[in-house]
Amino acid sequence: MGGLRGDPRGWRERARALTAANPLVVDIGIALLVQSAMTMPFVVPRAAGLPPATWAAYGLSTLTALPLVWRRRAPLAVFFAVLAAGALYGLSVDGPGQPLPYTGLVVVYTIAASASARKRLLTAGVLLAAVPVGVWLNTRSVRELTFTLIVFTAAYVFGRLTDARQRAHRVEAERAAARERARIAREMHDILSHAVSLMIVQAEAGPVAVRTAPERAEAAFDAISATGRDAMTQLRRMLGVLREGDDDGAAPREPQPGLAELPALLDRVRAGGLDVTYGTAGDVRPVPEAVAATVFRIVQESLTNTVRHAGAHTVAVRLTYRSGDLDVRVTDDGRGTQGSRSGGHGLIGVRERAAAHGGTAVAGAGPGGRGFEVRVTLPVPAAAEVAG
């Protein structure tokens, strides 16, 4: 039974998508619905002494509802057409009245929800003049005047609320797009800066190795090739989720690299001549895929900074699993804070990634004031929660 009921939010989203894709069909449906409501006084039995329900009067009521089909494309023109049709009905025939000004309420709501401020002001001015005239020609009742003004005000307020909600949705969509662009920019920065930095280091060492140790030169060129291929693979993997599904299937939707890919990452750095050690401490347990991908990128960016700026000989990567979090440390023996590593997009990206998971990131001098260390703490749930 739960599957039949479905998700109310999902139904709303599907209805909104259907409305956006078929606005004319929706407007025709609204016009038919309004016409159905206006038909009721013509089909119910009428007391003696009331105006007769003639076909001429019914035809004019249909003429009043017909302009609603174009309410979105020309709301102000539809408003004046509805007013003119209503005036013609009231002045030319003595037919059944309506309990509510249905067509007027729909068009006022539409203008309030989608028209410019100038058109809304013009509509309000015309209504303030037309409503008292219409009431005077009909019943000359203060009660009817008050009721009519209240319902038109309510339609206008509902239209403005709809406009505010739509504006909020658009703002949130723009913010979501901006966050996604920032995420993609960070991913591409991490992938490309890491790969290019390693390739530059290996390429600079290649000519020296050719003269002194040809076997090392061959290994360096192999490492350059492997680094480039890995970068291309990661870029295709990342950008694949942005594509709608190509015919050639060239962009597979694969997960981002995680903790299992860390050893391969460290091997590529070692191929550039840097001595890299890797260790874990605490109760090693599974972590969410998003956290694992963040750890991989943080280690990748930290190693890239070491290769580019530190002039280090060794670097240590250590993951410490604690009861409620994961501590990530990347420590090198390079120039420390004397280098240009106190800022830049790399460390900013590390902090943003940590903050996105509710964690913290600190970068500065290593133990004893020597070298440089990046320290990141990420909240990590228990293994049972991750499995669930």
Side-chain angles (χ1 to χ4, degrees), residues 132-173:
V133 172
V135 172
W136 185 82
L137 292 175
N138 187 25
T139 64
R140 302 184 182 181
S141 168
V142 175
R143 179 179 178 181
E144 182 185 0
L145 175 62
T146 304
F147 175 76
T148 305
L149 290 176
I150 288 176
V151 295
F152 273 115
T153 301
Y156 183 86
V157 170
F158 284 136
R160 296 307 300 147
L161 291 176
T162 299
D163 179 63
R165 185 170 63 251
Q166 291 173 345
R167 288 175 182 271
H169 288 165
R170 288 194 293 269
V171 169
E172 179 57 31

CSV table of all heavy atoms in Angstrom, one decimal, residues 132-173:
chain,number,residue,atom,x,y,z
A,132,PRO,N,-16.7,48.8,-7.4
A,132,PRO,CA,-17.8,49.6,-6.9
A,132,PRO,C,-18.9,49.8,-8.0
A,132,PRO,O,-20.1,49.8,-7.7
A,132,PRO,CB,-17.2,50.9,-6.4
A,132,PRO,CG,-15.8,50.5,-6.1
A,132,PRO,CD,-15.4,49.5,-7.1
A,133,VAL,N,-18.5,50.0,-9.2
A,133,VAL,CA,-19.4,50.3,-10.3
A,133,VAL,C,-20.2,49.0,-10.5
A,133,VAL,O,-21.5,49.1,-10.7
A,133,VAL,CB,-18.7,50.7,-11.6
A,133,VAL,CG1,-19.7,50.7,-12.8
A,133,VAL,CG2,-18.0,52.1,-11.4
A,134,GLY,N,-19.6,47.8,-10.6
A,134,GLY,CA,-20.3,46.6,-10.8
A,134,GLY,C,-21.3,46.3,-9.7
A,134,GLY,O,-22.4,45.8,-9.9
A,135,VAL,N,-20.9,46.5,-8.4
A,135,VAL,CA,-21.8,46.3,-7.3
A,135,VAL,C,-23.0,47.3,-7.4
A,135,VAL,O,-24.1,46.9,-7.1
A,135,VAL,CB,-21.0,46.4,-6.0
A,135,VAL,CG1,-22.0,46.4,-4.8
A,135,VAL,CG2,-20.0,45.3,-5.8
A,136,TRP,N,-22.7,48.5,-7.7
A,136,TRP,CA,-23.8,49.5,-7.8
A,136,TRP,C,-24.8,49.1,-8.9
A,136,TRP,O,-26.0,49.2,-8.7
A,136,TRP,CB,-23.2,50.9,-8.1
A,136,TRP,CG,-24.3,52.0,-8.1
A,136,TRP,CD1,-24.7,52.6,-7.0
A,136,TRP,CD2,-24.9,52.5,-9.2
A,136,TRP,NE1,-25.7,53.6,-7.4
A,136,TRP,CE2,-25.8,53.5,-8.7
A,136,TRP,CE3,-24.9,52.3,-10.6
A,136,TRP,CZ2,-26.6,54.3,-9.6
A,136,TRP,CZ3,-25.7,53.0,-11.4
A,136,TRP,CH2,-26.6,54.0,-10.9
A,137,LEU,N,-24.3,48.6,-10.0
A,137,LEU,CA,-25.2,48.1,-11.1
A,137,LEU,C,-26.0,46.9,-10.7
A,137,LEU,O,-27.1,46.6,-11.3
A,137,LEU,CB,-24.5,47.9,-12.4
A,137,LEU,CG,-23.9,49.2,-13.1
A,137,LEU,CD1,-23.0,48.8,-14.3
A,137,LEU,CD2,-25.0,50.1,-13.5
A,138,ASN,N,-25.4,46.1,-9.8
A,138,ASN,CA,-26.0,44.8,-9.4
A,138,ASN,C,-27.0,44.9,-8.3
A,138,ASN,O,-28.2,44.9,-8.4
A,138,ASN,CB,-24.9,43.8,-9.2
A,138,ASN,CG,-25.5,42.3,-9.0
A,138,ASN,OD1,-26.5,42.0,-9.5
A,138,ASN,ND2,-24.7,41.5,-8.3
A,139,THR,N,-26.4,45.0,-7.1
A,139,THR,CA,-27.3,45.0,-5.8
A,139,THR,C,-27.2,46.2,-5.0
A,139,THR,O,-28.0,46.5,-4.2
A,139,THR,CB,-26.8,43.8,-4.9
A,139,THR,OG1,-25.5,44.0,-4.5
A,139,THR,CG2,-27.0,42.5,-5.7
A,140,ARG,N,-26.2,47.0,-5.3
A,140,ARG,CA,-25.9,48.3,-4.5
A,140,ARG,C,-25.9,47.9,-3.0
A,140,ARG,O,-26.3,48.7,-2.1
A,140,ARG,CB,-27.0,49.3,-4.7
A,140,ARG,CG,-27.2,49.7,-6.2
A,140,ARG,CD,-28.2,50.8,-6.4
A,140,ARG,NE,-28.3,51.1,-7.8
A,140,ARG,CZ,-29.1,52.0,-8.3
A,140,ARG,NH1,-29.9,52.7,-7.4
A,140,ARG,NH2,-29.2,52.3,-9.6
A,141,SER,N,-25.2,46.8,-2.7
A,141,SER,CA,-25.1,46.3,-1.3
A,141,SER,C,-23.7,46.5,-0.8
A,141,SER,O,-22.7,46.1,-1.5
A,141,SER,CB,-25.5,44.8,-1.2
A,141,SER,OG,-25.2,44.3,0.0
A,142,VAL,N,-23.6,47.1,0.4
A,142,VAL,CA,-22.3,47.2,1.0
A,142,VAL,C,-21.7,45.8,1.3
A,142,VAL,O,-20.5,45.6,1.2
A,142,VAL,CB,-22.4,48.1,2.3
A,142,VAL,CG1,-21.1,48.1,3.0
A,142,VAL,CG2,-22.9,49.5,2.0
A,143,ARG,N,-22.5,44.9,1.7
A,143,ARG,CA,-22.1,43.5,2.0
A,143,ARG,C,-21.4,42.9,0.8
A,143,ARG,O,-20.3,42.3,0.9
A,143,ARG,CB,-23.2,42.7,2.4
A,143,ARG,CG,-22.9,41.3,2.8
A,143,ARG,CD,-24.1,40.5,3.2
A,143,ARG,NE,-23.8,39.1,3.5
A,143,ARG,CZ,-24.6,38.2,3.9
A,143,ARG,NH1,-25.9,38.6,4.1
A,143,ARG,NH2,-24.3,37.0,4.1
A,144,GLU,N,-22.0,43.1,-0.4
A,144,GLU,CA,-21.4,42.5,-1.6
A,144,GLU,C,-20.2,43.2,-2.0
A,144,GLU,O,-19.2,42.6,-2.4
A,144,GLU,CB,-22.4,42.6,-2.8
A,144,GLU,CG,-21.9,42.0,-4.1
A,144,GLU,CD,-22.8,42.2,-5.3
A,144,GLU,OE1,-23.9,42.8,-5.1
A,144,GLU,OE2,-22.4,41.8,-6.4
A,145,LEU,N,-20.1,44.5,-1.8
A,145,LEU,CA,-18.9,45.3,-2.1
A,145,LEU,C,-17.8,44.8,-1.2
A,145,LEU,O,-16.6,44.6,-1.7
A,145,LEU,CB,-19.2,46.8,-1.9
A,145,LEU,CG,-18.0,47.7,-2.0
A,145,LEU,CD1,-17.4,47.6,-3.4
A,145,LEU,CD2,-18.3,49.1,-1.6
A,146,THR,N,-18.0,44.7,0.1
A,146,THR,CA,-17.0,44.2,1.0
A,146,THR,C,-16.5,42.8,0.7
A,146,THR,O,-15.3,42.5,0.6
A,146,THR,CB,-17.5,44.2,2.5
A,146,THR,OG1,-18.0,45.5,2.8
A,146,THR,CG2,-16.4,43.8,3.4
A,147,PHE,N,-17.5,41.9,0.4
A,147,PHE,CA,-17.1,40.5,0.1
A,147,PHE,C,-16.2,40.5,-1.2
A,147,PHE,O,-15.2,39.8,-1.3
A,147,PHE,CB,-18.4,39.7,-0.1
A,147,PHE,CG,-18.1,38.3,-0.6
A,147,PHE,CD1,-17.6,37.3,0.3
A,147,PHE,CD2,-18.3,38.0,-1.9
A,147,PHE,CE1,-17.4,36.0,-0.2
A,147,PHE,CE2,-18.1,36.7,-2.4
A,147,PHE,CZ,-17.6,35.7,-1.5
A,148,THR,N,-16.7,41.2,-2.2
A,148,THR,CA,-15.9,41.2,-3.5
A,148,THR,C,-14.5,41.8,-3.3
A,148,THR,O,-13.5,41.2,-3.9
A,148,THR,CB,-16.7,42.1,-4.5
A,148,THR,OG1,-18.0,41.6,-4.7
A,148,THR,CG2,-16.0,42.0,-5.9
A,149,LEU,N,-14.4,42.8,-2.6
A,149,LEU,CA,-13.0,43.4,-2.3
A,149,LEU,C,-12.2,42.4,-1.6
A,149,LEU,O,-11.0,42.2,-1.9
A,149,LEU,CB,-13.1,44.7,-1.6
A,149,LEU,CG,-13.7,45.9,-2.4
A,149,LEU,CD1,-13.8,47.1,-1.5
A,149,LEU,CD2,-12.8,46.2,-3.6
A,150,ILE,N,-12.7,41.7,-0.6
A,150,ILE,CA,-12.0,40.7,0.2
A,150,ILE,C,-11.5,39.6,-0.7
A,150,ILE,O,-10.3,39.2,-0.6
A,150,ILE,CB,-12.8,40.2,1.3
A,150,ILE,CG1,-13.0,41.3,2.4
A,150,ILE,CG2,-12.2,38.9,2.0
A,150,ILE,CD1,-13.9,40.9,3.5
A,151,VAL,N,-12.4,39.0,-1.6
A,151,VAL,CA,-11.9,37.9,-2.4
A,151,VAL,C,-10.9,38.3,-3.4
A,151,VAL,O,-10.0,37.5,-3.7
A,151,VAL,CB,-13.2,37.2,-3.0
A,151,VAL,CG1,-14.1,36.6,-2.0
A,151,VAL,CG2,-13.9,38.1,-3.9
A,152,PHE,N,-11.0,39.5,-4.0
A,152,PHE,CA,-10.0,39.9,-4.9
A,152,PHE,C,-8.7,40.2,-4.2
A,152,PHE,O,-7.6,39.9,-4.8
A,152,PHE,CB,-10.5,41.1,-5.7
A,152,PHE,CG,-11.3,40.8,-6.9
A,152,PHE,CD1,-12.7,41.2,-7.0
A,152,PHE,CD2,-10.8,40.2,-8.0
A,152,PHE,CE1,-13.4,40.9,-8.1
A,152,PHE,CE2,-11.5,39.9,-9.1
A,152,PHE,CZ,-12.9,40.2,-9.2
A,153,THR,N,-8.7,40.7,-3.0
A,153,THR,CA,-7.5,40.9,-2.3
A,153,THR,C,-6.9,39.6,-1.9
A,153,THR,O,-5.6,39.5,-2.0
A,153,THR,CB,-7.8,41.7,-1.0
A,153,THR,OG1,-8.4,43.0,-1.3
A,153,THR,CG2,-6.5,41.9,-0.2
A,154,ALA,N,-7.7,38.6,-1.6
A,154,ALA,CA,-7.1,37.3,-1.3
A,154,ALA,C,-6.4,36.7,-2.5
A,154,ALA,O,-5.4,36.1,-2.4
A,154,ALA,CB,-8.2,36.4,-0.8
A,155,ALA,N,-7.1,36.8,-3.7
A,155,ALA,CA,-6.5,36.3,-4.9
A,155,ALA,C,-5.2,37.0,-5.2
A,155,ALA,O,-4.2,36.3,-5.6
A,155,ALA,CB,-7.4,36.5,-6.1
A,156,TYR,N,-5.1,38.3,-5.0
A,156,TYR,CA,-3.9,39.0,-5.2
A,156,TYR,C,-2.8,38.6,-4.2
A,156,TYR,O,-1.6,38.4,-4.6
A,156,TYR,CB,-4.1,40.5,-5.1
A,156,TYR,CG,-2.9,41.4,-5.4
A,156,TYR,CD1,-2.6,41.8,-6.7
A,156,TYR,CD2,-2.0,41.8,-4.3
A,156,TYR,CE1,-1.5,42.5,-6.9
A,156,TYR,CE2,-0.9,42.5,-4.6
A,156,TYR,CZ,-0.7,42.9,-5.9
A,156,TYR,OH,0.4,43.7,-6.2
A,157,VAL,N,-3.1,38.4,-3.0
A,157,VAL,CA,-2.1,38.0,-2.0
A,157,VAL,C,-1.6,36.6,-2.3
A,157,VAL,O,-0.4,36.3,-2.2
A,157,VAL,CB,-2.8,38.0,-0.6
A,157,VAL,CG1,-1.8,37.4,0.5
A,157,VAL,CG2,-3.0,39.5,-0.1
A,158,PHE,N,-2.5,35.7,-2.7
A,158,PHE,CA,-2.0,34.3,-3.0
A,158,PHE,C,-1.1,34.4,-4.2
A,158,PHE,O,-0.1,33.6,-4.3
A,158,PHE,CB,-3.2,33.4,-3.3
A,158,PHE,CG,-4.0,33.0,-2.1
A,158,PHE,CD1,-5.3,33.0,-2.0
A,158,PHE,CD2,-3.3,32.5,-1.0
A,158,PHE,CE1,-6.0,32.6,-0.9
A,158,PHE,CE2,-3.9,32.1,0.2
A,158,PHE,CZ,-5.3,32.1,0.2
A,159,GLY,N,-1.4,35.2,-5.2
A,159,GLY,CA,-0.5,35.4,-6.3
A,159,GLY,C,0.9,35.9,-5.9
A,159,GLY,O,1.9,35.4,-6.4
A,160,ARG,N,0.9,36.9,-5.0
A,160,ARG,CA,2.2,37.4,-4.6
A,160,ARG,C,3.0,36.3,-3.8
A,160,ARG,O,4.2,36.2,-3.9
A,160,ARG,CB,2.0,38.6,-3.7
A,160,ARG,CG,1.4,39.8,-4.4
A,160,ARG,CD,2.2,40.2,-5.7
A,160,ARG,NE,3.5,40.5,-5.4
A,160,ARG,CZ,4.6,40.2,-6.3
A,160,ARG,NH1,4.3,39.6,-7.4
A,160,ARG,NH2,5.8,40.5,-6.0
A,161,LEU,N,2.3,35.5,-3.0
A,161,LEU,CA,2.9,34.4,-2.3
A,161,LEU,C,3.5,33.4,-3.2
A,161,LEU,O,4.6,32.9,-3.0
A,161,LEU,CB,2.0,33.8,-1.3
A,161,LEU,CG,1.5,34.6,-0.1
A,161,LEU,CD1,0.5,33.9,0.7
A,161,LEU,CD2,2.7,35.0,0.8
A,162,THR,N,2.8,33.1,-4.3
A,162,THR,CA,3.3,32.2,-5.3
A,162,THR,C,4.5,32.7,-6.0
A,162,THR,O,5.5,32.0,-6.2
A,162,THR,CB,2.2,31.9,-6.3
A,162,THR,OG1,1.1,31.3,-5.7
A,162,THR,CG2,2.7,31.0,-7.4
A,163,ASP,N,4.5,34.0,-6.3
A,163,ASP,CA,5.7,34.6,-6.9
A,163,ASP,C,6.9,34.6,-5.9
A,163,ASP,O,8.0,34.3,-6.4
A,163,ASP,CB,5.4,36.1,-7.3
A,163,ASP,CG,6.6,36.8,-7.9
A,163,ASP,OD1,7.0,36.4,-8.9
A,163,ASP,OD2,7.1,37.8,-7.2
A,164,ALA,N,6.7,34.8,-4.7
A,164,ALA,CA,7.8,34.8,-3.7
A,164,ALA,C,8.3,33.4,-3.6
A,164,ALA,O,9.6,33.2,-3.5
A,164,ALA,CB,7.3,35.3,-2.3
A,165,ARG,N,7.4,32.4,-3.6
A,165,ARG,CA,7.9,31.0,-3.5
A,165,ARG,C,8.7,30.6,-4.7
A,165,ARG,O,9.8,29.9,-4.6
A,165,ARG,CB,6.7,30.0,-3.3
A,165,ARG,CG,7.1,28.6,-3.1
A,165,ARG,CD,5.9,27.7,-2.7
A,165,ARG,NE,4.9,27.7,-3.7
A,165,ARG,CZ,3.7,28.3,-3.7
A,165,ARG,NH1,3.4,29.0,-2.6
A,165,ARG,NH2,2.9,28.2,-4.6
A,166,GLN,N,8.3,31.0,-5.9
A,166,GLN,CA,9.0,30.7,-7.1
A,166,GLN,C,10.4,31.4,-7.1
A,166,GLN,O,11.4,30.8,-7.6
A,166,GLN,CB,8.2,31.1,-8.3
A,166,GLN,CG,6.9,30.3,-8.6
A,166,GLN,CD,6.0,30.9,-9.7
A,166,GLN,OE1,6.2,32.0,-10.1
A,166,GLN,NE2,5.1,30.1,-10.1
A,167,ARG,N,10.4,32.6,-6.6
A,167,ARG,CA,11.7,33.3,-6.6
A,167,ARG,C,12.6,32.6,-5.6
A,167,ARG,O,13.8,32.5,-5.9
A,167,ARG,CB,11.5,34.8,-6.1
A,167,ARG,CG,10.8,35.7,-7.1
A,167,ARG,CD,10.6,37.1,-6.5
A,167,ARG,NE,9.9,37.9,-7.5
A,167,ARG,CZ,10.5,38.7,-8.3
A,167,ARG,NH1,11.9,38.7,-8.4
A,167,ARG,NH2,9.9,39.5,-9.2
A,168,ALA,N,12.1,32.1,-4.5
A,168,ALA,CA,12.9,31.4,-3.5
A,168,ALA,C,13.5,30.1,-4.2
A,168,ALA,O,14.6,29.7,-4.0
A,168,ALA,CB,12.1,31.1,-2.3
A,169,HIS,N,12.6,29.4,-5.0
A,169,HIS,CA,13.1,28.2,-5.6
A,169,HIS,C,14.2,28.5,-6.6
A,169,HIS,O,15.2,27.8,-6.8
A,169,HIS,CB,11.9,27.5,-6.3
A,169,HIS,CG,10.9,26.9,-5.4
A,169,HIS,ND1,9.7,26.5,-5.8
A,169,HIS,CD2,11.0,26.6,-4.1
A,169,HIS,CE1,9.0,26.0,-4.7
A,169,HIS,NE2,9.8,26.0,-3.7
A,170,ARG,N,14.0,29.6,-7.4
A,170,ARG,CA,15.0,30.0,-8.4
A,170,ARG,C,16.4,30.3,-7.7
A,170,ARG,O,17.4,29.9,-8.1
A,170,ARG,CB,14.6,31.1,-9.2
A,170,ARG,CG,13.5,30.8,-10.2
A,170,ARG,CD,13.3,31.9,-11.3
A,170,ARG,NE,12.8,33.1,-10.7
A,170,ARG,CZ,11.5,33.4,-10.6
A,170,ARG,NH1,10.6,32.5,-11.0
A,170,ARG,NH2,11.1,34.5,-10.0
A,171,VAL,N,16.3,31.1,-6.6
A,171,VAL,CA,17.5,31.4,-5.8
A,171,VAL,C,18.2,30.2,-5.3
A,171,VAL,O,19.4,30.0,-5.4
A,171,VAL,CB,17.2,32.4,-4.7
A,171,VAL,CG1,18.4,32.6,-3.8
A,171,VAL,CG2,16.7,33.7,-5.2
A,172,GLU,N,17.4,29.2,-4.8
A,172,GLU,CA,18.0,28.0,-4.2
A,172,GLU,C,18.6,27.2,-5.4
A,172,GLU,O,19.7,26.6,-5.2
A,172,GLU,CB,16.9,27.2,-3.5
A,172,GLU,CG,17.5,25.9,-3.0
A,172,GLU,CD,18.6,26.1,-2.0
A,172,GLU,OE1,18.7,27.1,-1.3
A,172,GLU,OE2,19.5,25.1,-2.0
A,173,ALA,N,18.0,27.2,-6.5
A,173,ALA,CA,18.5,26.4,-7.7
A,173,ALA,C,19.8,27.1,-8.1
A,173,ALA,O,20.8,26.4,-8.5
A,173,ALA,CB,17.5,26.4,-8.8
